[in-house]
């Protein structure tokens, strides 16, 4: 990080590496699925921070990302022949973010907000699924954009609250073919550009209320809410949204030699809500 005067600072970096994946098949009666793939990457990142006023910072960043296929995604070829998937490419992304952080002068109030945009090339998706073998393909470009905001407020010495909201619009920018069901030896369902990505939700929210009667004791009540989750790339099915409640209790004990023992008890999904996550 390099200061640019009293109010500005710029930071940057670069990460470079290699990923090597290989498998040796010792069960050859159904073909030899041995193989090896090597991937390399160089990802730069650049950030800018501006202290507008005491307690208020604005920031912006741009970065490049890399995600190699997993062993499971490389295990089988789309044509059903033995050996590693030799055509599957890694996902490469570009990420952009602007945001603000504000802290009250008394430290009781904190607000964070950010806008983000992520473009991905060679997104990985399912190609075939039959006979216990699932193969994968690159389905083209995708776009994820959205906003995040969080609020923390300690309104008395014993009571505080925390709230967070994430909004996400995740869509395919290129059309491709997908499977209609299982078994599927060849994808035959057209997925148009603009469809939402399976497994994504448009909104996630979290809120908690915590009571801390002493420095070593805390009781908390949490609420998590999620919007409907898209269940397939054709966008014909979705799992409904849900609201979950949770309770927690924390007790801390000071031990000799500056050690500390912390006991945590949680009750997740306290309302016994059935949901698809």
């Amino acid at each position: 990080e390099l200061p640019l005067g009293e109010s500005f600072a710029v930071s940057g970096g670069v990460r470079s590496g290699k990923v090597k994946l290989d498998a040796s098949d010792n069960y050859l009666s159904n073909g030899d699925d041995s193989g090896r793939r090597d991937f390399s990457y160089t990802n730069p990142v650049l950030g800018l921070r501006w202290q507008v006023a005491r307690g208020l910072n604005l920031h912006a960043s741009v970065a490049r990302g890399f995600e190699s296929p997993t062993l499971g995604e490389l295990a089988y070829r789309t044509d059903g022949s033995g050996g590693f998937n030799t055509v599957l490419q890694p996902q490469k992304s570009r990420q952009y973010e602007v945001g603000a952080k504000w802290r009250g002068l008394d430290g009781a109030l904190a607000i964070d907000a950010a806008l983000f945009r992520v473009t991905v090339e060679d997104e990985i998706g399912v190609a075939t699924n039959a006979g216990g073998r699932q193969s994968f393909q690159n389905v083209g470009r995708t776009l994820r954009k959205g906003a995040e905001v969080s609020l923390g407020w300690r309104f008395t010495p014993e009571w505080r609250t925390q709230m967070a909201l994430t909004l996400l619009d995740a869509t395919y920018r290129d059309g491709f073919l997908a499977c209609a069901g299982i078994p599927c030896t060849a994808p035959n369902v057209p997925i148009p550009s603009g469809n939402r990505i399976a497994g994504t939700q448009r909104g996630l929210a979290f809120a908690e209320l915590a009571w801390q009667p002493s420095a070593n004791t805390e009781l908390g009540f949490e609420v998590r809410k999620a919007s409907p989750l898209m269940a397939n790339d054709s966008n014909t099915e979705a799992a409904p949204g849900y609201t979950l409640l949770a309770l927690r209790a924390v007790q801390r004990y000071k031990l000799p030699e500056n050690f500390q023992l912390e006991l945590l008890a949680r009750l997740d999904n306290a309302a016994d809500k059935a949901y698809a996550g």
Side-chain angles (χ1 to χ4, degrees):
E1 183 172 295
L2 177 65
L4 301 177
E6 295 183 359
S7 301
F8 288 91
V10 62
S11 59
V14 63
R15 180 174 181 173
S16 184
K18 285 189 175 183
V19 179
K20 298 181 179 181
L21 300 166
D22 64 83
S24 299
D25 188 0
N26 294 318
Y27 184 78
L28 304 178
S29 64
N30 63 343
D32 187 355
D33 288 317
S34 301
R36 172 173 173 165
R37 293 288 304 275
D38 295 346
F39 304 101
S40 61
Y41 62 90
T42 300
N43 294 333
V45 59
L46 180 66
L48 179 66
R49 177 173 53 83
W50 176 29
Q51 186 175 2
V52 181
R54 184 181 176 185
L56 176 60
N57 287 333
L58 303 181
H59 61 86
S61 65
V62 58
R64 192 164 63 193
F66 170 91
E67 183 178 345
S68 70
T70 65
L71 276 171
E73 291 168 340
L74 290 171
Y76 305 119
R77 299 183 181 184
T78 56
D79 61 5
S81 61
F84 256 25
N85 190 329
T86 57
V87 299
L88 191 64
Q89 298 300 313
Q91 296 181 168
K92 297 179 181 180
S93 63
R94 285 180 171 82
Q95 306 153 22
Y96 311 87
E97 180 177 311
V98 294
K101 297 177 181 292
W102 181 79
R103 299 293 182 267
L105 299 183
D106 58 358
L109 190 62
I111 300 176
D112 293 78
L115 300 174
F116 62 88
R117 177 184 175 94
V118 182
T119 59
V120 178
E121 296 180 357
D122 294 323
E123 181 93 20
I124 296 175
V126 175
T128 64
N129 194 339
R133 294 191 169 198
Q134 189 175 45
S135 67
F136 293 80
Q137 62 179 334
N138 295 110
V139 299
R141 301 171 301 164
T142 59
L143 172 63
R144 294 163 175 83
K145 57 183 179 179
E148 296 178 334
V149 61
S150 67
L151 168 68
W153 182 26
R154 183 177 288 275
F155 48 92
T156 73
E158 296 83 18
W159 291 90
R160 64 177 175 84
T161 184
Q162 181 82 22
M163 292 174 281
L165 174 66
T166 299
L167 302 176
L168 173 67
D169 181 25
T171 58
Y172 291 106
R173 300 177 68 189
D174 293 321
F176 63 98
L177 295 178
C179 287
I182 301 174
C184 172
T185 57
N188 56 7
V189 177
I191 306 299
S193 62
N195 268 26
R196 289 173 55 190
I197 300 175
T200 62
Q201 296 161 306
R202 290 195 183 277
L204 294 169
F206 169 82
E208 74 167 10
L209 180 64
W211 177 49
Q212 194 172 13
S214 70
N216 296 320
T217 303
E218 180 178 288
L219 302 176
F221 173 72
E222 303 173 5
V223 180
R224 298 177 186 271
K225 186 174 181 60
S227 63
L229 180 142
M230 193 53 60
N232 58 13
D233 289 322
S234 57
N235 293 178
T236 58
E237 299 289 345
Y242 55 85
T243 300
L244 302 179
L245 308 178
L247 304 173
R248 74 171 188 274
V250 178
Q251 182 65 47
R252 303 176 184 90
Y253 299 94
K254 293 183 179 180
L255 302 177
E257 304 295 334
N258 292 323
F259 284 94
Q260 180 176 272
L261 173 66
E262 179 175 293
L263 302 180
L264 168 66
R266 285 187 59 88
L267 178 60
D268 285 319
N269 197 4
D272 198 22
K273 172 72 174 180
Y275 69 100

